Structure formats: C-alpha cells, structure tokens
Amino acid sequence: MNETKPKWSRRKDARPAEIVDAAMDVFVEHGFAGTKLTEVAKRAGVAKGTLYLYFETKEDLFRATARQALSANLQAVEQASAAFDGSVAELVPVLLKRAAGRLGDGRIPGIVRMVLAESRAFPDLARIWHDEVVARMLGLLTGLIAAAQAKGEIRAGDPKLYAMSIVAPMIMGLLFHEVFGSESDQAPDLDALAAQHSQAILNGIFMD
Amino acid sequence: MNETKPKWSRRKDARPAEIVDAAMDVFVEHGFAGTKLTEVAKRAGVAKGTLYLYFETKEDLFRATARQALSANLQAVEQASAAFDGSVAELVPVLLKRAAGRLGDGRIPGIVRMVLAESRAFPDLARIWHDEVVARMLGLLTGLIAAAQAKGEIRAGDPKLYAMSIVAPMIMGLLFHEVFGSESDQAPDLDALAAQHSQAILNGIFMD
Amino acid sequence: MNETKPKWSRRKDARPAEIVDAAMDVFVEHGFAGTKLTEVAKRAGVAKGTLYLYFETKEDLFRATARQALSANLQAVEQASAAFDGSVAELVPVLLKRAAGRLGDGRIPGIVRMVLAESRAFPDLARIWHDEVVARMLGLLTGLIAAAQAKGEIRAGDPKLYAMSIVAPMIMGLLFHEVFGSESDQAPDLDALAAQHSQAILNGIFMD
Amino acid sequence: MNETKPKWSRRKDARPAEIVDAAMDVFVEHGFAGTKLTEVAKRAGVAKGTLYLYFETKEDLFRATARQALSANLQAVEQASAAFDGSVAELVPVLLKRAAGRLGDGRIPGIVRMVLAESRAFPDLARIWHDEVVARMLGLLTGLIAAAQAKGEIRAGDPKLYAMSIVAPMIMGLLFHEVFGSESDQAPDLDALAAQHSQAILNGIFMD
DNA sequence: TATGAATGAGGATTCATTCAT
DNA sequence: AATGAATGAATCCTCATTCAT
C-alpha cells in the first residue's frame, strides 16, 4: 500500500483533457448526433460512466470539445499575427503560406467543418466561434489593413471586406480538401494557392 | 371557384416533390440525424407512412433531397454562366453581384451548410456535389479565365486558382450570414462585398 | 356498351375462391404473421383493396383459407374411407399407401404445418380442424377397428389408440419431409414407410 | 436470511439464462412474430434495453431460445437412451412410457410445436433441430434396432422406418395434447398409448 | 473516483385497413 | 365491383444517462 499505485492514480486532473482530446476526433468524424459516447469512452480509455464525472451531458462534452478546439485555433491566429511589423505587401504572402502549412494538416479543417455543421443546433458555439475566433481574426487583419491604408499602401475601401478577399480563398481551399479529400483532381494545392492568391489580391489578376 | 377542388385528392406524382420540398427545410434546419420524419410528414401535410411510399428510408429521402437541392444549385450556376460574352473585367462584377443577390436570400446557403455538415456521413453526396456543382462551376470559370489569358486580358497563372480567388470570398460571405446570422456586426454586406472584391481581384488592393 | 366487357366481368363469384387459393400458398409459405396482404393480392391478381370486398380482415381471410384447406383434406379422408369393405389386414396397407401418394406431393403437409403452427393463436381453427378432420378421421378408423375386433381380426385394446398406432408414422413422415425437406438423408421414403409400417403394425416387429 | 440479498444486484452472467427462460414461454405461446419484446422483458424482470445487452436482435434471442430448448430436448433424449442394455422387447415399453411421462408435462411439446411452426422462417433452426435432436434420436433407436435384428430379435426391414413406427405415435400423442388440449374427448391418454402401442408394434395388432 | 450493467424514452419502419376515385 | 394511395397504430431497436458496486 505504498505510494506507487500508478495504474490509475496517474494525473487525475489530466482526465478531462484526455477525454476532450478523444472526443474531438470522434465528434469531428461523426458529428454530434452520430457520435456515441461509448466510442468516446473507449478512445479515451475510460468507462462510459467516467465521462459523467467530468461532463454533465453529451452536449456539455461537445461544447467543451468545440471550445477547446476553437481556443487552439485562436492561439494559431494569435501567433500568426505576431508577425505584423512589415508592410502588408510582405505580410499577406507570409500569412497565407503559414495558413496553408499550419492549418492544412492538423485537425483544424475538420473542426471548422464540425462547428459549421453544428452551428445551427448550437448557436452558443457559433457565437463563441464568432466572437473568439472569427471576429478576432478579422479584427486583426482589418486593423493591419486600415493602418496600411493610412500609410497609402492599400487602396481605399472597407478593410473588413478586403480582409475577406484575402483570407477566404485559403479557407475555401482548406474546406475543399476536408470535404472532397485530396482525391479530387480539382483540389487546389494549398501552397500554390497561397502564393498565387497573394499576388492576385495584391496586384490584381487583370492585366493593365 | 369552379375548379372542382377535390381538396385532397390522389396525386401520386406531385407527392414526391412536395415531400422533398418539405424535407429540405427540415433537413437544413436540423441536419440529418436531428430530423424527425414525423416533422417532415407534418410539414408535407401527409402521414408518416406516406413518406415510405416514395422513399425507402430516411437516408433515401435525404439523398433525394440533397440531390435535388444540388441540382437546383446547378441550374443557378448554369444560368449565371450564360452571360459570358463580354470581357472578364465586365463579367466578374456581374457574376459576383448575381451570386450575392440570387443565392443570398434563398435556401442555398443552408443547403451548402447541410451538405458540408453531412458530407462525411454521406460520401456519395459529397461526390455528387463535387462532380455536379463544384467541378462544373469551377470548370466554367476556369474556361473563361483561360480564354481571357489567351486574349491577354488576365495575367499568367493557374486559372483554377484564380477561379478560387474570385469566388471564395462570396461563398464565405454567404456562409458567414448563414452561420452567424446577420446580427453579427461583422457580417459583410454581400452586395458591397461583390463590388469591392471584384475591384480588388481585378486590380489588386495594393496601390502601385 | 354491349354485353361483352369480358376483361373483368369474368366470373365475379369465382373471386373469393381465387383469392383463397392464392392466400393458401402465401400463408403456408410465410405463416399468418409473415404473410403480407400485398403479396396475396398480387398472387391473386387483384388489388389489395379488393380483398376487403370479400373478407373483413386478414384473420378472416386466414380462417377462410384454413377452413377450405381443411375441407379439402376432409374430402381426401372421406374418399380414402370409401374403400372399407375388405378386412383390416387388406385395408391398412392400401390406406397408408394412398396417404403416402395422395398427401405427399400436394399442399396438404404444408397446410398441416400451418394449422399446427397457428393453432395457438387461432383456437377456433384448432377446433375446426379437430372436429372436422381429426376426430372424423380417427372416428372412421376407430369404427373400422372396432368392427374388426368384433370379427376377431384384431386384438383387444382401445381402437382409438390402435388408430393412432396406424396413422401416426405416416403423418410424421409427411411432416418430416415438410420440415426438413428431402435433402435430409434421414428423410423416410414414404412408400417404403407405408409398406413396412403396415406389416409392422399388423404383425409386429418382434420375431415370435 | 443473512444471505445479504442485494435484492437487485448486478448479475451479468445469470441474465442471459433468465432472459432465455422467460423468452421461451413467450415464444412458445405467441410464436416468433407474435412475441413482443416488451413482454419478454417484463417476464424476465428486466427493461427492454437489457435484452439488447445480451442478444443482438429479436431473431438472435429467438435462435438462442430455440437452441437451448432443443439442447434440453436433447438431454432428455440422451438420458432416455441410457437404458439400452436389455432386449428391445423390454426397452420399447420403457422408452415410450418415459417419453409419455417426461415429455408430456413440461414445455417440450410446446417447443416442438414452435420449432415446427417457425422452421420455414428459420431454416437454420430446422437444421439444428434435425441434426442435434431428430437425427440423433433416430440414430440411437436405429442402432438398437439393427443390433436386435442381428440378434434375431426383430424382423428384417429398414431399422430407420421401424424407429419411426415406434416413436411416431407417441410424438403424435404429445402434439395432440399440445394442439387440441386435453379437453378433446379424443385426446389419447399418453400412458395408455405408450403401453398399448408398445404391444402393438412388437406383436402386431393383427390376430394370427 | 471509476465502473459498466441497467434503464426507458424516442424514433424509424412496417403493414393491415380505409376510402376517394 | 375494383383500385391503390394514404393512413397511423404498433413495435423493434438505439443510446444517453443513472446508480449500485
């Protein structure tokens, strides 16, 4: 009865995180309704009842999962925005290339799809997503653009709409891969898209 | 009023369309799993069993519904592409404005969200969507762009990626409204977005 | 508009019999619960609703079907019993051989199985079967046996039990084929069974 | 009363047997289609869902139930065959009397009726019944008879057919009671039938 | 804390029966 | 008399949630 009973005394406070981590995969794969808590428990390596020690309901677990997914998203955005010292002309390609690389391979596209899918049933999630991710990200970009406009770097116009012009193609590209898989011969190469779109949006596609 | 309204006669051939029409609303609103056939039936004005006269299973009804939604989508695209005689410089603003107007109010954004949401559980739907809508739409635009490049109107570059640069912001805008509602103060005005993005993508946002 | 509209004016009073005939096959094949009226209608070449012009409910149709099956059974028994002039020693082999031949190929074994199967849910059928077929048949045989006992042809004993000793193996043989099919290598040859059992029951299997 | 009756504890391993036991009554009484799982659950003293912890589907439960019923049947047969040392002349009356007593009161006749009834819908059950009960039972008897023939106790003839001559009347008698109940004035007394048929089949009913 | 057997409300599906044509 | 589209009660089955251990 000495102190080593490591079998399950192991980090008792890590449990919620482990569960959420397991849940994320399952929710992303099957959606909210399609997810069976049995499977979440199995993947988390705990019994079904254990889930209820940490989360009141399935919805609760889903919210926690989505929130954590979004907050991770958020950190990626925050980090990306740390490189905002140069001119916009330099920033945009870097930003988009980073998005292509950092977001393209991880779980983020799946999470975006999931939140998109469930946003009707979970309006609070949509709000969190909006306030903590989308608005924040757009706000950052918008600020940069407005500053650049003040410096005469960027044409007049609504900075928020410019922000969308800049980021939307990358997001679409990510979703394209997520939804149709890379099997589609139409699936855009994300790095190429980042490069070409950067040029396109900065200089236009139209030949003067 | 002499139309001898049977008020409630047999109409074997109108029924499937009526049911699909009702189902579309419910599926868009609640998703596949969240949709109760009872509600579909109620909205279609028929009994639960009647659904099974025309559709084998709930999945079947969902597929039929999504397919029809996509084919409607398709028609909108085909029509939009009928105006392809002028130069790309003239076409792009028209195209995007049309998208803003025609797609913005109807059920299409909701359908896109729904198909996005269920594409994992219904890979065949994803394929249909890809082949019959996305690839087609991209193909059309890609063709126009390549032609314009041949005429020297548009810079060198992958036409498919240019196509994404052109349409993605509109689609994002539509989804933005669909997901966050227009309450969000960040929600872009679609007409303004169409106008400004047209200019941005054609001439660039960067000031020369 | 003259009298010949033979398409369906054809024997309007034959319909019930046609329906019952079709129903018999289906009920025998699938049992009461497993039978779908749609299939009965299809096999009878009428619409589902037509069944209800002649039979109030599915149960009603089943009863009529079973009754007719039993009455046909009955006739076979009556006929078989017409040959009761000779001695029992001559009658038994003839009777059993006839049973083997006449009952073995037709629908009767299936009907027996069906009535057996549903006798719990339809006690009235069991009664009809009992009164009009079983008791009658046993009664006939019992009478013959009692007469033969009076003449000193057959040993003392309960004639009814003797009757069972005589007929049971044939019935078992029929059911054996019905239930296990003739694929079973254990399935008795009915003619051989008739012949051997006749000898066995008349003279015993024991060697004196 | 110190048995610390948890009154209602977990008993994962007792449950299947309890359920099957309850199910047997209901299936025998109502047949497969007529059985409602609600009633099985109620009789087993569990909730509907509990059934599904142990059996995948209703069919599954039915198969398990029938199989167990048959295996019980089988044991009865095996035991009955343990008395095979004496001569056939001694064995047959004992065997039939045992059948009359042991099988007559229990659930076996009902089970036989049930399996008979459902054998069309569950051909696999028919096969199990055939292979594990019928063929086995016939095989045992057949072996005894062949041995007796070798010893000159029993006349020449197909032993399998003799076996049917011996057992069929008892089985018919059991089914008679099962189907028509003992109310029928025709219902044979099973002990009397066993006694008389033993004599009949051994010595013949015919007076030399 | 952790477990997983047990629960039962909820929803898809079937099919006998009806009735407008 | 005949049709078959429409109905909705009935029932199997799932799975989030509970609770005795």
Side-chain angles (χ1 to χ4, degrees), chain B residues 8-12 14-20 22-23 36-55 61:
Chain B
W8 196 79
S9 65
R10 298 288 173 286
R11 36 188 169 160
K12 181 164 76 148
R15 275 288 149 82
E18 293 171 358
I19 290 171
V20 161
K36 299 167 217 177
L37 291 192
T38 303
E39 191 180 350
V40 172
K42 200 191 305 171
R43 283 216 211 173
V46 299
K48 225 181 323 167
T50 304
L51 304 180
Y52 286 87
L53 292 178
Y54 302 101
F55 305 95
L61 173 58

Side-chain angles (χ1 to χ4, degrees), chain D residues 14-56:
Chain D
R15 275 290 149 81
E18 292 170 359
I19 291 170
V20 160
D21 193 62
M24 188 137 23
D25 289 340
V26 190
F27 279 131
V28 165
E29 191 165 356
H30 297 107
F32 176 75
T35 291
K36 297 166 218 175
L37 290 192
T38 303
E39 190 180 350
V40 173
K42 199 190 308 171
R43 283 215 211 172
V46 299
K48 224 182 325 164
T50 305
L51 305 180
Y52 288 88
L53 292 178
Y54 302 102
F55 304 95
E56 304 244 321

